[in-house]
Amino acid sequence: MTIFRKSIRILGKIILWFFIITIGLTIIYRFLPVPLTPLMAIRWMEQVFDKEKEVRFKKDWVSIDKISRHMPQAVVAAEDQKFLDHFGFDREAMEKAWEGNKKGKRIKGASTITQQTAKNVFLWPGRNLIRKGLEAYFTVLMEVLWSKERIMEVYLNVIEMGEGIYGIEAAAQTYYKKPAAKLSRQEAAMIAAVLPNPRRWSPARPTPYIYGRQSWILRQMNNINPVGFGI
């Protein structure tokens, strides 16, 4: 019984510290830039140990008022058109994805921008149930503790946008030789078009498929109000 009680006490302390650390970190990132993410560290290690890869790390944090108003429009149009309305989860998209996955016997994502931000900032790549559970937990924390504008700001600053390229400022400088504030509507849509697989596709070398995605995103952007992002 003593061993059992000690185990319960230890488990209770672990759970308590988990909540203290994760909630504390989420509050800190509400105000301060995210310096590094697990994915950035993983990608850097991959580059270091792969002789065929160039070791490259480009990241430059910018506030949302220094990002072109077209960029939030483009990523919402491409990734999560209900971003301003949901509480971190798009139930309709999740149900559709689940039905489709049952037919293909493979679980595909229906991630919102909040979920993608949670995954990028706090977690590692993967599809197991533990990681998905933690993703849901951090998604709720962010929706409670951050504004939608802050979620968008962090998302645009940490997301992978190419091999060793993280955030919209680094992407704008790399692909268009200009700051993120100066991105045009077409350029923003092109960057958003490659986000599903930025290591395979590049705004600098768009394929016919990417041009097609860009055109679709540009049409969808007509329905996205930039005022909703506080820009």
Side-chain angles (χ1 to χ4, degrees):
M1 183 61 73
T2 303
I3 295 176
F4 177 75
R5 287 179 177 176
K6 285 184 178 179
S7 299
I8 293 297
R9 192 177 298 115
I10 292 171
L11 180 61
K13 288 182 179 180
I14 291 173
I15 293 173
L16 177 62
W17 277 107
F18 169 79
F19 283 117
I20 291 173
I21 292 170
T22 55
I23 293 173
L25 197 57
T26 306
I27 292 173
I28 289 171
Y29 285 160
R30 177 184 177 182
F31 303 103
L32 299 179
V34 178
L36 188 71
T37 69
L39 180 64
M40 293 177 191
I42 290 170
R43 295 288 191 242
W44 184 80
M45 291 295 291
E46 289 174 351
Q47 292 174 356
V48 168
F49 289 102
D50 189 338
K51 295 181 180 179
E52 297 182 0
K53 287 185 177 181
E54 174 190 356
V55 178
R56 181 167 66 167
F57 185 86
K58 295 184 178 181
K59 175 180 175 291
D60 188 6
W61 185 280
V62 289
S63 61
I64 197 161
D65 60 347
K66 294 182 179 179
I67 298 173
S68 166
R69 66 186 181 89
H70 301 300
M71 201 63 235
Q73 280 183 295
V75 295
V76 168
E79 301 286 308
D80 182 8
Q81 295 190 17
K82 297 180 181 178
F83 173 66
L84 291 175
D85 302 317
H86 62 60
F87 190 72
F89 305 94
D90 186 340
R91 291 184 180 181
E92 183 179 350
M94 291 170 69
E95 289 173 0
K96 289 181 179 179
W98 180 255
E99 290 299 321
N101 294 336
K102 285 196 297 185
K103 296 177 182 179
K105 296 183 179 180
R106 179 185 174 188
I107 299 177
K108 297 180 182 178
S111 294
T112 63
I113 285 174
T114 312
Q115 288 175 280
Q116 292 182 50
T117 307
K119 176 182 66 178
N120 276 281
V121 172
F122 298 106
L123 302 171
W124 61 95
R127 292 181 177 274
N128 61 69
L129 290 178
I130 293 176
R131 200 203 65 86
K132 293 300 289 184
L134 288 171
E135 179 185 303
Y137 167 74
F138 280 110
T139 296
V140 172
L141 278 187
M142 289 164 52
E143 287 284 347
V144 170
L145 298 173
W146 297 3
S147 65
K148 289 288 188 179
E149 181 177 319
R150 179 58 176 174
I151 293 170
M152 177 61 68
E153 182 177 55
V154 174
Y155 173 80
L156 289 175
N157 273 285
V158 303
I159 192 170
E160 186 176 31
M161 295 190 174
E163 191 71 51
I165 301 170
Y166 304 96
I168 189 58
E169 182 67 20
Q173 295 287 356
T174 300
Y175 300 124
Y176 296 112
K177 310 302 180 185
K178 62 172 67 173
K182 300 295 184 181
L183 287 172
S184 69
R185 193 168 181 269
Q186 289 72 24
E187 291 164 347
M190 180 60 75
I191 291 173
V194 307
L195 290 184
N197 197 337
R199 302 174 77 196
R200 176 183 177 187
W201 300 316
S202 169
R205 299 181 301 278
T207 64
Y209 171 73
I210 294 302
Y211 275 121
R213 275 187 55 81
Q214 180 197 35
S215 296
W216 180 84
I217 291 169
L218 286 168
R219 292 194 299 272
Q220 298 301 310
M221 286 169 68
N222 294 328
N223 303 319
I224 307 299
N225 184 3
V227 176
F229 301 99
I231 302 172

